[in-house]
Structures are given as C-alpha cells and as structure tokens.
Amino acid sequence: MFFDKLREGAQGTTSKIILGAIILSFALAGVGSYVTRPVQEAAAVVNGDEIPAQTLENAYRNERARLESQLGEQLSQLLADPAYVEQLRRSVLEQLVEQRLIDQKIAELGLRASDKQVRNAIRALPEFQVDGKFDNDRYLQLLSRNNLSPEQLRDSIRQDLNRQMLLNAVVGSSFSLESEAGLLDRLSRQQRSAELVRLPLAQFEANAEISDEDAEAWYQAHPEQFQRPEQVKLNYVLLDAGNVSAGDIDEQAIEDYYRANQASYSRPEQRRVAHIMVAKDDDAEQKITALAERLAAGEDFAELARTESEDVFSGENGGELEWMEAGTLDPAFDEAAFALSDEGEVSAVVESDFGLHLIKLLEVRPAQTRPLEDVRDAIAERLAAEQASDDFYNREQRLAELAFEFPDSLDMVAQELGLEVRSTDFISAAAAPAELQDPRVLTEAFSSRLREQGMNSDLIELDDNTALVLRVLDYQPAAVRDFDEVKDQARALALKDKAAELAAEAAEALQQRWAEGDIDTWLDEQGLERTELAALTRESPQPPALLNALFAMPAPEKAPSLTSLTLADGDQAVLRLTEVVTPEQPSEQLAQIRQGQGRVQGQRDYQSLISALRAAADIEYRQLPSEDDGVF
C-alpha cells in the first residue's frame, strides 16, 4: 500500500519538477567535475611565483624529522606548545621564501652548474656510497625506492649547486684589508697589567644592619621575589605496560609464528648481473640492436659496457651491478634479470624507465632459510613484547572507558584495573612529581576546564608503555606570600642588597682615593689588599667580567685609568690599569685572521643580499591550516 502511494506521488507534476531539479544538479555537478580542476593552494607568493602549500608541508615534516633526530623525546615536549609549532612552521616558510628569491636571482644572472659538476656531486653523495666509493646498484635502488627518476635527482642537485655558486660568488668577493686584519691580530695579542682590589660582599654583610621595617619595605618593593605560583592538588592513576618474559611464551606459539613468517627468516635468491644501457632517444632502438649484434658476433660484454654503455657509473666496472633481490629495481629490468637461467646468458632488449638494456647474468645465490633453532630466542622475545603491548593496549582502552563512564572519581578505575590512586599535596608545575613532568599532563592539571567541571581528564599517553588519567581536587591561584611567611627570606635579601650598596660606595671611595694618590693607609683601615695582575691576555684564566672590564679601559697616559665592577659572586672590585703592551709585528696567524674576517664579511654581504631581495620583492603570505597540527 505504501509503495503504491509512493509510485502515484512520483507521477505528479510537483514530483516531476523536484526530480528534474535533482537530475539537473547531478548533471551539472558531473560536468563540473570534468571541466574544473582543484586549485592548488599556495602558502606564499613570491614575485608572482607560488610556493605550494604541499611544498611547505613537506619541508615542515623534513625539518621535524631533522629536529627529532637531534632532540629525541625533547621535541615532543616542544611540539606540545602550539606557539612553538607555529614559530617552527613560520621559520620553514621563511626559508622557502628565501630559497625562491635566490632561485629567481640565479635565473636573472643566468648561473647554471655544468653536467660534469652535477655528476661529480651525485657520485660524492654518501647515500650512494659503499665503503667510501660510489655504488651504482645502491644509486638505482634508492632512486626506485624513493620514486625518483635520475632526471629529478639531477635537477635537484643542479638547483643546490646553482645556489652554492651564488653563495660562493658573494662570499668569495668579500675581503679584509691587511691593515684591518693586522690591527685585529695585534689587539688579540695585547697584554695588560693592572692592580686589583677586591671588596668581598660578605665583609659588608657583617657590617650591615637591617631592621624589621627595612625588611618589610624591601618586601613591599620587590613583590615578584615572593610570588607563589599557582598550585593544584591532584589524584591520578598511572598505567604501565606489564613485563612479559620470553620464557612465558608457549613453544607452539613460537613454531606457529615461525611458519607464518617464513619469509622473514629466509634470504631470497640473489643475482649479480651486468648491463649495457642506452638512454631513450630517437636512435635508441637502433643503437641497442647494433650492440646486441656485436655481442652475438663475439665481442666482450664488459668491454662494450665500458665503451658504449650510457650508464657511465656501472660502465666503468664493465657494467657490473651489486647483488640484487627480486623486486628491488625497475620492474621490467627486475623481471628480465630473474628470467635468465644460465650464468653468462644475455637477455633480449629490455625497456625500463631509465632506458634500453642488455642484461647479462653473472652469478646466482640460491635462496636460504634459517632454521627455527637459530631464531627461536628472537621470536620468543618478539612475541613477549607483542603480548605486553597488546595487554597494555586493552587495559589502556578500558582505562579510558572507565574514566569517562565514572567521571567524578578514579576509585572505579583503580578497583577494576588493579591500580593505585596516587595523590599529591598542593604542587606547582615546577614541583610536580617526576611522572607528571610532561607538558601535556601539566597543561591538563592546570587547565580551568578540569577544575571547573570537576571531571576526570582524558587519557594521556606519556609514551608507548605508559598512560595516565588525573583529576583536580583543589586549586590555589598565584599570589604573593604573606610577609610573615617570608620574613626571614626578605631580611636576607634586604641584607644582601644593603651590603651590595655599601660595597659599591666603598668601591667609589676607593676609586676616588686611588685617583688622588696612595691608598695603602685606606686599605689597611678597611682590611683590604691589592693584587698585581701582570701581562694578562684576553685568554688568561681570570673571571670574564674582570677581563672584559680590563680590556675596555683606556690606556693610562696623563691620568690613572681606573674602573670598578661587580664580579659574578657579587663582590665589588676596583681595577687600576698600569701598562698596555701591543705587539708591533704581525703574527703567523695574520693570514688566517684576514681569511676569517673575509668569511665574516661575506656572510654579512650574503645576508645583505637576502635583505635587499626581500625589500624589493612582492611577497604575499597566505593563511593555511596545517595538515597535522591545526595551527598556522
């Protein structure tokens, strides 16, 4: 009955109009899909030249991988901060903009690396070397594995070389005058002698007097010194992966795994071949056919490879490639190489993505399988790790479910999973227990959402073997501690401040007396003494603050050269410069100093070039969402 009415309704005028509109919309959508193409978004436009958003994403991921290899787990903590992620992405984009400006300048100047330079650069890449020498087989394997053609690699290397040429042109044209380098050389070897009087801060602390009123006044003037950070009181449960030993694994499970993963313990058949290659062009088939005829006439394969193969890397070695396994090279080349049955046999002409080939089978290593006895322990350890991981995953999922189903307590979580509910007193972010010292945990612990809702947090994965759920029990905002609570601390700080003031006054008085004449009587009264500092250089084993002050002082001429300074431990000191000795003759380091100054100037010139290109460029930045971070 229902379908009859539906069929009758479909025959009405209104229904036909609606159905026609639907058909029209599908038709238009279908046509549109053929005549329109998705517009590729740009992250930035530099002088009308777009930097695609995907280029930015690729460069950003590469930079993250590089930082991860350097920083390890520390990077994960940094990436938890959205501001850091945005800054990192912005830095990567700025590098891409600079590269595009440089490439545009290179095109304007007509700079281009030669084919020979590109070839030598490829041969020098460590990725393509085995035992310090270029390996053609590894070269072809890596290109195939990364879905790169030789032309793409060549163009990328040429682009890098072009940029290096511009850099060398700018840096190489910079220079330093011999007089400038000579002055720096002589100043770097200058020696200075002085007299030093040290005024220990502890001596003035003993003579300083601080009242309660002084301590409270210091407290009122420096509230930032007595700030108590925001604090929380927490409950949390910590889930760790259990320990499953290899001895716990059933023998049958080991045998089953071995049979199911036979390929992992087998070495497939390997072959060593040589080839002659002709690059694809209009005459390629004619050339390879002629070479096949010469081989059939009895000419030596290795000699023909050396003289005629356009794969110059393997040609130098008679066309020989390293040991290969099925599926590692170009599919057509691979299939032909493994179709040869007898050592010394030469294939028919084979066409690959790289060119046309003649392939000769040199040697075969048959497939081998390692016996179970040799791999039993490794399999047991693997299965133990997998079982521990599976157990942890299941318990982790249950932890998340229970924390959500019973959001106002962790007791049910602890009871079902056999965990301990751990508690803290009021803690700041800096004083949290070791297991809570993770940016994601601290962000949750101090979030207003958790304390306002009074609910459990979401599950937080600390690493592959540890997870945590927490709840906030109480919260104390940041505030200045009461004076009575920090009275002793305020007194000590006020005392140190007063002592520093007295020491500075004494240093000023000493400097004045020293400028007027003898100071021995004054030093005796103060219980101080002076120290001779003879022939100090900039590398002498003295406090950096002292050396910086000493070599900043004017040479004594008509009037004494005096200065006072504060040392790293808070002591005051007064220096009297007595002698300055500057070598007149240049040292053996003059040429090196001049070269170094030239490099520094070259770097400045290069940065000036970048700045000038930026200033003259029309650069438009686009706001794009990140594919994986949700920022920028």
Side-chain angles (χ1 to χ4, degrees):
M1 188 69 176
F2 171 78
F3 289 102
D4 290 337
K5 290 185 177 180
L6 181 62
R7 191 177 301 107
E8 291 173 2
Q11 304 301 318
T13 303
T14 304
S15 298
K16 291 181 180 180
I17 294 174
I18 295 175
L19 183 60
I22 294 174
I23 294 173
L24 180 61
S25 66
F26 276 105
L28 292 176
V31 173
S33 66
Y34 283 99
V35 301
T36 62
R37 295 180 180 178
V39 179
Q40 186 178 29
E41 292 183 294
V45 183
V46 183
N47 293 326
D49 192 2
E50 291 187 348
I51 297 177
Q54 190 58 50
T55 299
L56 171 60
E57 289 299 325
N58 294 340
Y60 171 66
R61 292 194 183 99
N62 289 339
E63 181 65 9
R64 278 184 55 161
R66 185 186 69 82
L67 291 174
E68 187 173 8
S69 67
Q70 291 181 348
L71 303 178
E73 294 183 359
Q74 184 181 353
L75 180 63
S76 298
Q77 299 177 1
L78 294 173
L79 293 177
D81 180 4
Y84 175 82
V85 175
E86 183 174 0
Q87 179 184 0
L88 177 60
R89 288 176 60 81
R90 173 61 68 177
S91 174
V92 171
L93 179 56
E94 292 298 342
Q95 292 176 21
L96 292 176
V97 169
E98 289 187 3
Q99 287 180 359
R100 193 58 55 92
L101 289 170
I102 290 298
D103 290 343
Q104 291 172 353
K105 189 64 177 178
I106 288 170
E108 178 186 337
L109 296 174
L111 297 177
R112 178 179 169 83
S114 68
D115 292 342
K116 183 177 181 180
Q117 288 174 310
V118 173
R119 182 181 303 168
N120 290 338
I122 292 175
R123 293 179 67 92
L125 288 173
E127 292 84 355
F128 300 144
Q129 294 186 357
V130 175
D131 297 330
K133 295 182 179 179
F134 177 83
D135 185 273
N136 191 70
D137 187 45
R138 181 170 179 79
Y139 163 76
L140 295 174
Q141 287 180 4
L142 288 179
L143 285 184
S144 178
R145 188 179 304 166
N146 290 279
N147 198 27
L148 278 175
S149 68
E151 291 77 13
Q152 289 173 317
L153 177 64
R154 177 200 63 200
D155 293 344
S156 176
I157 295 296
R158 192 188 303 278
Q159 185 180 49
D160 290 340
L161 290 176
N162 290 343
R163 292 169 182 166
Q164 189 62 42
M165 288 171 64
L166 180 60
L167 174 62
N168 292 340
V170 174
V171 175
S173 63
S174 301
F175 62 91
S176 170
L177 295 175
E178 186 171 352
S179 58
E180 294 175 334
L183 178 59
L184 179 60
D185 173 40
R186 290 185 290 112
L187 288 177
S188 66
R189 293 180 293 120
Q190 188 181 82
Q191 295 181 341
R192 293 192 167 204
S193 299
E195 293 177 315
L196 168 71
V197 175
R198 190 177 187 122
L199 293 81
L201 188 63
Q203 180 175 324
F204 293 90
E205 287 180 358
N207 298 328
E209 295 182 358
I210 296 295
S211 65
D212 289 345
E213 289 76 14
D214 293 332
E216 187 168 4
W218 205 94
Y219 163 83
Q220 296 291 345
H222 303 86
E224 71 282 355
Q225 294 286 336
F226 310 100
Q227 188 82 9
R228 181 185 61 223
E230 61 176 342
Q231 297 179 317
V232 290
K233 184 182 290 187
L234 303 174
N235 272 357
Y236 64 98
V237 291
L238 191 65
L239 177 66
D240 291 320
N243 293 322
V244 180
S245 69
D248 298 331
I249 302 302
D250 181 69
E251 180 65 25
Q252 187 61 47
I254 295 176
E255 295 178 3
D256 291 344
Y257 184 90
Y258 176 76
R259 285 192 295 270
N261 296 271
Q262 195 79 34
S264 301
Y265 305 103
S266 301
R267 189 195 71 190
E269 177 184 318
Q270 295 180 326
R271 294 191 168 206
R272 189 166 62 88
V273 301
H275 79 131
I276 300 172
M277 188 189 84
V278 173
K280 293 181 180 179
D281 56 31
D282 294 340
D283 300 328
E285 292 187 7
Q286 182 178 350
K287 291 178 183 177
I288 200 72
T289 301
L291 291 172
E293 292 173 352
R294 291 172 65 179
L295 287 173
E299 292 195 39
D300 183 65
F301 190 99
E303 186 60 31
L304 276 179
R306 274 189 287 270
T307 58
E308 304 297 338
S309 179
E310 295 185 27
D311 179 2
V312 294
F313 298 129
S314 67
E316 295 174 355
N317 195 34
E320 292 187 18
L321 303 176
E322 294 298 324
W323 288 97
M324 60 180 287
E325 297 176 1
T328 57
L329 296 181
D330 179 272
F333 188 100
D334 194 277
E335 181 180 356
F338 279 85
L340 299 172
S341 56
D342 299 323
E343 294 182 1
E345 182 182 356
V346 178
S347 72
V349 175
V350 179
E351 181 177 354
S352 75
D353 290 341
F354 300 98
L356 302 180
H357 310 261
L358 294 170
I359 305 171
K360 180 180 180 179
L361 179 60
L362 301 178
E363 191 175 353
V364 178
R365 286 177 180 168
Q368 292 183 351
T369 301
R370 298 176 66 186
L372 175 59
E373 289 71 20
D374 291 351
V375 297
R376 185 185 307 276
D377 292 343
I379 292 176
E381 292 178 2
R382 182 184 184 92
L383 292 177
E386 289 180 354
Q387 182 174 324
S389 178
D390 291 343
D391 291 346
F392 173 75
Y393 176 77
N394 293 331
R395 285 165 58 81
E396 183 185 45
Q397 295 303 307
R398 188 55 180 156
L399 170 59
E401 292 171 0
L402 291 170
F404 177 78
E405 293 171 2
F406 303 93
D408 56 352
S409 172
L410 293 174
D411 293 339
M412 186 61 70
V413 171
Q415 180 179 341
E416 179 167 331
L417 297 177
L419 300 175
E420 174 192 359
V421 179
R422 307 185 187 187
S423 301
T424 72
D425 199 351
F426 280 106
I427 57 170
S428 64
E435 60 261 32
L436 302 182
Q437 287 291 342
D438 183 286
R440 293 163 297 180
V441 174
L442 295 176
T443 298
E444 282 288 275
F446 287 88
S447 68
S448 58
R449 177 181 61 85
L450 279 191
R451 62 175 179 264
E452 290 172 358
Q453 296 177 351
M455 299 174 64
N456 297 331
S457 71
D458 294 331
L459 183 135
I460 304 171
E461 290 188 345
L462 302 181
D463 54 43
D464 292 340
N465 299 311
T466 316
L468 175 146
V469 173
L470 62 85
R471 61 180 295 101
V472 179
L473 303 180
D474 204 352
Y475 172 77
Q476 288 181 346
V480 177
R481 293 185 173 91
D482 293 336
F483 175 68
D484 291 340
E485 183 183 351
V486 295
K487 182 176 181 179
D488 292 340
Q489 181 186 357
R491 175 181 289 277
L493 291 172
L495 181 64
K496 189 176 288 292
D497 208 15
K498 182 65 174 179
E501 182 181 334
L502 294 175
E505 292 174 357
E508 184 179 353
L510 170 58
Q511 191 170 335
Q512 181 65 32
R513 292 288 293 272
W514 215 341
E516 295 172 356
D518 185 61
I519 61 167
D520 291 337
T521 302
W522 189 91
L523 292 177
D524 290 340
E525 293 173 354
Q526 301 295 326
L528 301 172
E529 58 183 20
R530 53 181 160 182
T531 303
E532 296 288 337
L533 303 175
L536 295 185
T537 68
R538 299 176 191 272
E539 286 76 34
S540 294
Q542 295 288 341
L546 188 151
L547 290 176
N548 291 339
L550 178 62
F551 281 88
M553 297 171 67
E557 295 178 355
K558 296 181 180 180
S561 183
L562 294 160
T563 192
S564 60
L565 66 146
T566 302
L567 299 175
D569 58 2
D571 289 355
Q572 289 288 318
V574 178
L575 273 173
R576 179 175 182 269
L577 180 61
T578 57
E579 184 182 21
V580 177
V581 178
T582 304
E584 295 183 1
Q585 298 301 320
S587 72
E588 297 177 353
Q589 304 297 321
L590 178 60
Q592 184 177 348
I593 291 174
R594 187 175 183 185
Q595 186 179 15
Q597 282 187 298
R599 284 196 298 267
V600 171
Q601 184 59 45
Q603 293 295 332
R604 291 173 181 166
D605 292 344
Y606 188 76
Q607 290 303 318
S608 296
L609 172 63
I610 296 294
S611 299
L613 292 176
R614 278 185 172 277
D618 180 11
I619 304 174
E620 178 187 355
Y621 295 95
R622 305 281 177 83
Q623 289 295 108
L624 293 172
S626 167
E627 293 182 4
D628 55 356
D629 300 293
V631 299
F632 190 71

